[in-house]
Amino acid sequence: MTALTPEQVLSLPAMPKVQDAFRAMNIGSTNGYALINLGEFPIEVLRFGRVYRVRRADLLAFLGLSEPTAAEVQSAPAPHNDGAPGVQPETPSEQSAPTYASK
């Protein structure tokens, strides 16, 4: 079992399984489940039937990571579509209104 990188932790779903939390925290599942059973796991664990999950926000806070803000996401460079067919970037396109034949 390999530890998750910060990028992988940020890409986890909102409610990852505890196994993902174990990997993010670089602890084994035996130790992780023992901490859960003792009530000493460092973040809140939610049980859904037989599945244990944590909140990604809690995991990120524990690891000292922050979610990218909307401004950071918007300022990220757009992917380049070199050679891709279709509308060129930064080129406005015109669409004609649909025409309907009358009977």
Side-chain angles (χ1 to χ4, degrees):
M1 179 170 78
T2 59
L4 297 178
T5 66
E7 293 80 20
Q8 290 172 319
V9 175
L10 288 170
S11 70
L12 289 173
M15 297 284 292
K17 294 180 181 178
V18 291
Q19 294 89 345
D20 294 324
F22 299 159
R23 289 182 61 207
M25 300 164 82
N26 201 21
I27 62 173
S29 59
T30 302
N31 189 26
Y33 282 113
L35 290 171
I36 291 170
N37 290 331
L38 292 171
E40 296 180 9
F41 197 71
I43 56 178
E44 183 179 8
V45 176
L46 305 167
R47 185 174 178 178
F48 298 99
R50 298 173 68 181
V51 178
Y52 293 96
R53 296 194 180 260
V54 297
R55 291 182 188 91
R56 182 182 63 196
D58 294 344
L59 180 60
L60 293 176
F62 177 79
L63 296 172
L65 298 173
S66 61
E67 293 212 42
T69 63
E72 290 172 341
V73 172
Q74 289 177 353
S75 66
H80 296 288
N81 292 332
D82 295 335
V87 177
Q88 296 298 318
E90 305 297 324
T91 304
S93 64
E94 294 183 24
Q95 289 183 329
S96 61
T99 57
Y100 300 98
S102 60
K103 291 185 179 184

